[in-house]
Amino acid sequence: MEPAGPKGLGAQFAAMWMAMRTSPLRRAILLLYLGITGVIVATAGGQILLNRWNKPFYDSLERRDLDAFLVQLQVFAAIASLLLVLNVAQAWLNQMLHIKLREGLARDLIGAWMKPRRAFRLGHAGEIGVNPDQRMHEDARHLADLTADLSIGLMQATILLASFVGVLWAISTDITFSVAGHAVYIPGYMVWAAIVHAGLGSGLSWLAGRPLVRLNEERYAREAELRSSLMRINEHVDAISLAGGEADGKARLERDLETVLLATRRIMTAAVRLTWVTAGYGWITIVAPLVIASPLYFAGELTFGGLMMAAAAFNQVNGALRWFIDNIGGITDWRATLARIATFRSGVVAMDALHGAEASIRIEEGPGDGLEFENLSVNSSAGHLRLSAATAKVAVGGRLHVVGEPGGGKTLLFHAIAGLWPWGGGTIRLPKGRTVAFVPSHPFIPFATLTGALAYPGMAHPTEAEVGLALDRVGLQRLKGRYAETVRWDRELGDDDRRLLAFARVLLQKPDFIVVDDALDALEESARTRVLDALQSALPDAALVTIGTLASTDARLGPVVRIEFDPQR
């Protein structure tokens, strides 16, 4: 079952806000925002000084007063130097905010995803669990960048608006127009003109740009699918080449690429429609302040310098008011990315509650010293399985061999014992205080030194003598001497060698119980015998539960319990 994510912008924003509030980086992010706010306020003060400079400067040009002109150039140099320092400081703080926001968001998502068993459960939760790497890498980076840029831009626009609206109001406070022989007084005429001008542009931009939210969400999903296909083919390129499957792989990639291109073309069409509005509005804005202020100039209430000062103040106010228009593309992109990240994070966190609400298989600590299954059944969309024995138990040092047909739910049973698959019925009792090691049919070998790969996930690094003995026992003597070598062992070793390395890891970890899923069956008979002999000699007190397809009569595997599987019809 797929968990429902937060609906609506408010719920999605609130979900991410709560996540950042609990982040260890929240203080650093807050200090950066405070620093940026201080710099923006100082910059606004410098902009006001620069706006006031317009009047004497352009008046000196109108009067052809060279001495006053040179003085004003010196004033400009001082103001510009101050603004340059502030610009550099804001750029540094801006980039640091990008880094800290991404770090905080990525750490939060990774921490939530890597809670025990969550990643596995999410992978079986439907579309939300597809391509989590894309969400935590590309989407998190993109959301952090957009959040930093848009929030700083909005803050700057707000402060500039508050700073310059008074200037613009003062310039046009006593303006009277003659309309059909009647005097019409409009206090703050240029302020209202700026508001109307920006309001019309914002409304038209939103109407034209709103479809981009849905289109960007679709594009990000299609990009993730293409990236996933590329990764899968790259991981299995050997098998694809051996099977001559390049043409099929090429066709699959081209289909995924076409869906990306189709989504991109739709965005392009919507962006072109939006450009008609934003670009047209931009061209009008070039002359709008001069046209709006021209009645004051031609009425003799403004000098040429005053006209340029009014136009500059109008541009500052209008620029602040048109922040939405200038950033409509980024806002729709931010909205789409926020929806993906908030839905993903909420889905990850909801896995625990969803898992607990739907779980029917009880996993509890038993009073004895054995691993026990009582009336165990496991459900899936493919069918329903149960064990042939109502009760099965393996004590410390004992053996139990569970046999099932191919496709008969063996891996589901393995996952159920590990507590990963909750759907079914019955009880699994684990001995209190005992350690359990699980060996899947395809073991994970991390990118690490050979010693680190054998110590995975949290074992203290064994000595070279201990590693060498474990490798000898499973038949991997040729790896001795490569203890400190860091390579992609999952690519360096074949399937059987990776399984043997996993059993060498078990020998080093010395667990009380070992549960194996098909890993023994997949080995050649000589290798299987060698591993069983190693487990018997090195871990004589460890209980062994093997799950496979081979109904072996080998006494080292213990009594046989069969899996009875009813496929879903």
Side-chain angles (χ1 to χ4, degrees):
M1 179 179 175
E2 182 171 351
K7 301 297 183 182
L9 174 61
Q12 292 164 359
F13 185 80
M16 298 312 301
W17 173 256
M18 292 301 296
M20 293 306 294
R21 281 189 61 188
T22 60
S23 170
L25 294 171
R26 62 187 181 279
R27 179 170 296 180
I29 293 172
L30 177 60
L31 290 175
L32 285 170
Y33 267 116
L34 290 175
I36 291 171
T37 303
V39 170
I40 290 175
V41 170
T43 302
Q47 293 281 9
I48 291 175
L49 293 176
L50 188 62
N51 178 259
R52 292 174 179 172
W53 168 86
N54 276 282
K55 187 177 187 303
F57 176 73
Y58 284 106
D59 283 346
S60 69
L61 287 175
E62 187 179 25
R63 296 192 310 267
R64 294 180 172 82
D65 187 341
L66 179 60
D67 291 339
F69 174 77
L70 294 176
V71 169
Q72 292 306 314
L73 284 181
Q74 294 174 19
V75 173
F76 173 81
I79 297 174
S81 298
L82 171 64
L83 290 174
L84 176 61
V85 172
L86 292 172
N87 291 156
V88 173
Q90 183 174 335
W92 184 85
L93 291 169
N94 190 335
Q95 293 304 311
M96 284 299 299
L97 182 62
H98 278 251
I99 293 171
K100 291 300 180 182
L101 279 175
R102 182 183 182 185
E103 180 184 356
L105 183 56
R107 286 184 182 277
D108 175 76
L109 293 174
I110 292 171
W113 187 54
M114 282 286 99
K115 289 285 180 68
R117 299 180 172 85
R118 275 186 182 173
F120 175 86
R121 295 166 186 168
L122 188 72
H124 293 79
E127 186 177 353
I128 193 174
V130 176
N131 304 318
D133 55 304
Q134 175 81 9
R135 310 266 185 132
M136 289 181 286
H137 177 260
E138 187 60 25
D139 289 350
R141 178 198 63 80
H142 198 46
L143 180 61
D145 289 347
L146 288 171
T147 300
D149 290 338
L150 291 174
S151 60
I152 292 173
L154 180 59
M155 184 194 311
Q156 192 159 14
T158 303
I159 292 173
L160 284 176
L161 178 62
S163 302
F164 277 91
V165 73
V167 175
L168 196 59
W169 186 281
I171 292 173
S172 58
T173 187
D174 295 321
I175 305 301
T176 302
F177 294 93
S178 179
V179 179
H182 299 282
V184 178
Y185 172 62
I186 306 177
Y189 150 70
M190 292 194 69
V191 174
W192 300 116
I195 292 173
V196 171
H197 181 64
L200 287 173
S202 297
L204 292 174
S205 297
W206 176 244
L207 290 176
R210 187 176 182 180
L212 284 169
V213 175
R214 175 182 54 81
L215 294 175
N216 274 310
E217 284 190 61
E218 181 183 355
R219 187 193 71 180
Y220 291 140
R222 302 292 83 77
E223 293 275 12
E225 290 175 3
L226 174 60
R227 182 172 178 268
S228 179
S229 295
L230 288 167
M231 290 176 61
R232 282 197 301 272
I233 288 178
N234 183 57
E235 288 292 326
H236 301 286
V237 67
D238 295 348
I240 291 172
S241 298
L242 289 171
E246 289 88 350
D248 179 74
K250 177 174 177 287
R252 172 60 187 271
L253 292 177
E254 287 179 344
R255 285 195 302 271
D256 288 345
L257 177 61
E258 183 57 35
T259 63
V260 170
L261 296 176
L262 178 61
T264 305
R265 284 193 290 268
R266 289 172 177 166
I267 290 177
M268 179 195 71
T269 302
V272 169
R273 288 197 299 267
L274 178 61
T275 302
W276 278 103
V277 175
T278 56
Y281 181 86
W283 284 111
I284 294 173
T285 301
I286 293 176
V287 298
L290 295 173
V291 171
I292 292 170
S294 61
L296 307 179
Y297 178 72
F298 289 116
E301 300 197 20
L302 288 177
T303 64
F304 181 67
L307 174 66
M308 299 309 295
M309 178 180 173
F314 180 94
N315 282 330
Q316 292 286 2
V317 172
N318 183 67
L321 290 172
R322 63 171 281 168
W323 175 86
F324 181 83
I325 304 170
D326 293 337
N327 292 278
I328 183 64
I331 292 170
T332 56
D333 198 3
W334 174 82
R335 177 72 179 82
T337 310
L338 175 66
R340 283 176 57 80
I341 289 291
T343 301
F344 174 76
R345 188 186 186 281
S346 298
V348 170
V349 174
M351 280 296 102
D352 294 339
L354 183 65
H355 181 276
E358 296 194 349
S360 297
I361 299 176
R362 294 187 303 278
I363 298 181
E364 56 188 40
E365 289 186 343
D369 61 354
L371 175 61
E372 184 177 354
F373 311 110
E374 182 178 337
N375 298 319
L376 181 62
S377 63
V378 183
N379 299 333
S380 74
S381 58
H384 168 86
L385 71 85
R386 60 182 177 274
L387 297 181
S388 57
T391 301
K393 181 177 180 180
V394 55
V396 174
R399 299 289 186 267
L400 181 68
H401 188 42
V402 183
V403 177
E405 297 294 330
K410 299 185 301 298
T411 298
L412 280 181
L413 175 63
F414 178 75
H415 287 156
I417 298 171
L420 299 178
W421 190 267
W423 296 279
T427 303
I428 299 174
R429 293 190 180 90
L430 301 174
K432 184 176 182 179
R434 300 286 187 172
T435 57
V436 183
F438 295 92
V439 184
S441 57
H442 300 284
F444 172 69
I445 310 297
F447 179 69
T449 64
L450 181 60
T451 301
L454 286 167
Y456 176 84
M459 177 185 174
H461 277 210
T463 65
E464 289 189 1
E466 291 172 328
V467 172
L469 180 59
L471 294 175
D472 281 336
R473 281 173 164 162
V474 299
L476 291 176
Q477 297 90 338
R478 71 181 189 281
L479 297 181
K480 294 171 68 174
R482 302 179 66 181
Y483 306 122
E485 191 173 335
T486 302
V487 298
R488 281 285 304 271
W489 296 106
D490 57 333
R491 304 297 297 272
E492 178 90 1
L493 304 175
D495 291 342
D496 280 1
D497 286 345
R498 290 199 297 272
R499 295 183 181 100
L500 292 174
L501 200 66
F503 282 112
R505 181 189 295 160
V506 170
L507 294 177
L508 290 169
Q509 292 175 343
K510 300 179 174 62
D512 298 309
F513 288 81
I514 307 165
V515 183
V516 183
D517 176 32
D518 257 342
L520 279 172
D521 278 6
L523 295 173
E524 294 181 355
E525 185 174 354
S526 59
R528 185 165 58 251
T529 298
R530 187 165 54 247
V531 168
L532 288 172
D533 288 342
L535 294 174
Q536 182 66 39
S537 60
L539 304 174
D541 296 327
L544 177 64
V545 178
T546 53
I547 304 173
T549 57
L550 300 177
S552 174
T553 57
D554 193 325
R556 290 171 298 182
L557 294 178
V560 173
V561 175
R562 294 190 174 275
I563 295 175
E564 298 175 351
F565 184 73
D566 296 324
Q568 185 73 36
R569 291 184 175 85

